[in-house]
Amino acid sequence: MKKIGLAVCYDTKNFGSQLQVLATVKKVEELGYKSEIIRYKKKITPTFIVQTIPRLFNISFVKSKLSGNQKDKALKSKPFYQKQVQQRNQRFNAFVDKYFAPLFSESYGGWETLVAKCKKNYDAFLCGSDQLWLPNNLGSHFYTLEFAPDNKPKIAYATSFGVSQIPDGQKKATAKYLNRFQHLSTRELAGQKIIKELTGKMAQVVCDPTLLFDAEGWKQMLPEKKIVEEPYVFCYFLGTNEEHRKIANEFKSKTGLKLVTCPFLDNYVECDLNFGDIQLFDMDAADFVNLIRHAEYILTDSFHGSVFSILNHKKFMTFNRFNAGANSRNSRIDSLCTLLGLSERRYSGNVMDVKNGIDYNAVEEKLKKLRAESAKYLKDALKEN
């Protein structure tokens, strides 16, 4: 049996990231292949320093690091919430131990070891999904599969750039790693355009791994249970826009429904201290899915918040987490809504529109076609190697 080395972002403290990894490994397994999650432990070596220096001049990369430091610093001044966030992080780690640890490779310490071990241990390599090709990540050289041998197949499944345009200074390096892939697919229409412009290749637009399974398929992986007993609106905001919280409170006042929130996931937002009637910290990715399954409505700025709302045929409204522009990371939600005919579920000024009905029969027809085409792409890519 062929052995596939997976370059996936399994250890991020993010529900969507962990769920797309779970879907990826389950689908590869379902297609009849053995897979292993590649664990790369960086070492401070001359090679690592040379690879890392360019990232220090990447404004987006520096901003993301500063944002993380700001969150940690803010939470230190709020011991109660700091403890709650630590508890949630333990649940993230427990999810990894349960679902991913059995698939872990040995720890490959340092770039040279990573290159040598992967050359020996795998028949092919797959990266995806998530925003692994963000311009911020270019300097890591891992999710671009630059460690994989030239003579072994490299597959990208639904890998996302997260932006609609690559910075001019990174176009040459981006084209170089893309041209090493034998099979290219992306999650967004914008990503398809980027690949075409940089390589001349027509990459297939495929669905996020989480969409490869329907609601029943997910129940097989993550059993159904109620997290909150009373009727509620699940407000899943990862961004910092305080106006979105005000709009959610407006919806609460008009409906009388309580708001369930998950504060301080990606960012520290001061107003989130008092946002939500039920604030949840002791939860994992399975609880996240179940909160969506049983919500009356979902208000979110999250891609995977939108995905699982769709899979479970919920009434939802998606807000833009990022400002518009070439470096905006809204493109994945743009593509999702365009491909499934759900553009009216984007917030456009009236939160009460979330109560409008959705023709999920039409959505399912589009989704089934996209799911079948995406599964065929992955099956064919793995089979050819």
Side-chain angles (χ1 to χ4, degrees):
M1 182 183 291
K2 292 179 181 177
K3 190 175 181 182
I4 313 299
L6 302 179
V8 290
C9 192
Y10 66 88
D11 57 353
T12 300
K13 303 296 189 291
N14 179 283
F15 300 126
S17 293
Q18 291 193 336
L19 290 165
Q20 62 86 16
V21 172
L22 179 59
T24 299
V25 299
K26 289 291 186 183
K27 181 54 69 172
V28 172
E29 176 186 294
E30 188 179 277
L31 291 173
Y33 297 88
K34 182 178 180 181
S35 64
E36 191 167 84
I37 294 174
I38 299 171
R39 290 195 300 160
Y40 169 40
K41 187 176 182 180
K42 297 173 185 176
K43 283 187 176 180
I44 307 301
T45 64
T47 302
F48 175 76
I49 292 171
V50 169
Q51 289 179 337
T52 302
I53 286 174
R55 303 185 86 181
L56 302 179
F57 299 94
N58 185 311
I59 295 174
S60 297
F61 174 76
V62 173
K63 282 183 177 179
S64 70
K65 291 298 181 184
L66 290 175
S67 177
N69 291 337
Q70 181 186 32
K71 174 185 170 183
D72 293 341
K73 183 178 179 181
L75 286 173
K76 282 182 180 179
S77 67
K78 304 285 190 302
F80 171 78
Y81 284 102
Q82 183 183 39
K83 184 177 179 180
Q84 296 295 308
V85 170
Q86 289 171 347
Q87 182 182 41
R88 183 164 58 206
N89 287 342
Q90 290 172 0
R91 293 292 303 278
F92 274 115
N93 293 336
F95 191 89
V96 169
D97 290 340
K98 180 176 180 179
Y99 291 99
F100 305 143
L103 297 173
F104 281 167
S105 72
E106 61 182 284
S107 181
Y108 301 143
W111 185 259
E112 289 78 11
T113 300
L114 175 70
V115 171
K117 290 286 188 177
C118 288
K119 182 178 181 180
K120 175 184 176 183
N121 291 345
Y122 307 106
D123 298 298
F125 300 85
L126 186 150
C127 74
S129 157
D130 224 339
Q131 299 179 85
L132 302 184
W133 289 345
L134 271 170
N136 296 2
N137 293 338
L138 181 63
S140 76
H141 302 281
F142 179 71
Y143 296 116
T144 54
L145 300 188
E146 290 170 70
F147 60 87
D150 289 336
N151 65 344
K152 290 198 176 181
K154 290 164 281 294
I155 304 163
Y157 182 79
T159 317
S160 170
F161 296 96
V163 297
S164 58
Q165 186 174 309
I166 300 297
D168 289 339
Q170 293 187 357
K171 287 182 177 180
K172 185 176 179 180
T174 302
K176 184 178 179 180
Y177 77 71
L178 288 173
N179 276 316
R180 296 184 71 242
F181 281 80
Q182 284 73 28
H183 302 277
L184 281 166
S185 70
T186 184
R187 194 173 59 187
E188 290 101 13
L189 297 166
Q192 183 186 54
K193 182 180 178 183
I194 288 171
I195 292 171
K196 178 66 174 176
E197 289 176 348
L198 295 183
T199 70
K201 299 177 181 179
M202 181 56 71
Q204 185 168 333
V205 176
V206 296
C207 65
D208 186 81
T210 53
L211 288 166
L212 288 171
F213 298 90
D214 61 16
E216 289 303 314
W218 275 105
K219 286 178 183 177
Q220 296 299 314
M221 287 185 274
L222 303 174
E224 189 170 4
K225 68 173 182 178
K226 273 200 170 186
I227 308 300
V228 176
E229 290 296 330
E230 58 194 300
Y232 61 90
V233 181
F234 185 32
C235 296
Y236 186 63
F237 294 133
L238 297 177
T240 60
N241 194 317
E242 294 188 15
E243 186 63 25
H244 296 166
R245 278 74 169 172
K246 293 178 182 176
I247 293 166
N249 279 321
E250 173 191 337
F251 187 72
K252 170 191 169 180
S253 67
K254 291 182 177 179
T255 63
L257 292 168
K258 289 188 176 180
L259 304 184
V260 173
T261 62
C262 309
F264 316 128
L265 275 161
D266 279 10
N267 300 282
Y268 177 84
V269 183
E270 186 74 22
C271 69
D272 281 354
L273 293 169
N274 300 305
F275 176 57
D277 301 289
I278 302 172
Q279 295 183 332
L280 294 179
F281 292 90
D282 186 10
M283 60 179 290
D284 63 11
D287 295 328
F288 164 77
V289 173
N290 277 308
L291 282 169
I292 290 176
R293 284 171 175 160
H294 295 285
E296 301 296 316
Y297 304 98
I298 295 96
L299 303 177
T300 187
D301 61 5
S302 154
F303 174 78
H304 284 104
S306 304
V307 163
F308 281 92
S309 296
I310 293 166
L311 287 174
N312 289 283
H313 292 191
K314 309 302 293 189
K315 291 184 177 181
F316 72 101
M317 183 69 69
T318 302
F319 296 74
N320 277 342
R321 193 191 321 176
F322 306 98
N323 294 326
N327 293 318
S328 166
R329 288 161 61 183
N330 296 320
S331 63
R332 54 185 179 161
I333 293 177
D334 294 338
S335 290
L336 178 71
C337 291
T338 299
L339 290 169
L340 299 182
L342 288 168
S343 296
E344 77 280 0
R345 306 318 291 189
R346 306 297 292 277
Y347 176 72
S348 59
N350 183 7
V351 70
M352 299 308 292
D353 287 345
V354 73
K355 300 182 76 172
N356 295 342
I358 300 173
D359 183 358
Y360 272 114
N361 288 329
V363 172
E364 282 295 334
E365 285 301 312
K366 293 182 175 69
L367 183 52
K368 284 177 183 176
K369 184 173 184 292
L370 178 60
R371 182 181 290 137
E373 292 171 347
S374 301
K376 184 178 185 303
Y377 163 84
L378 184 57
K379 181 180 179 179
D380 290 346
L382 290 169
K383 186 177 180 180
E384 286 179 21
N385 303 309

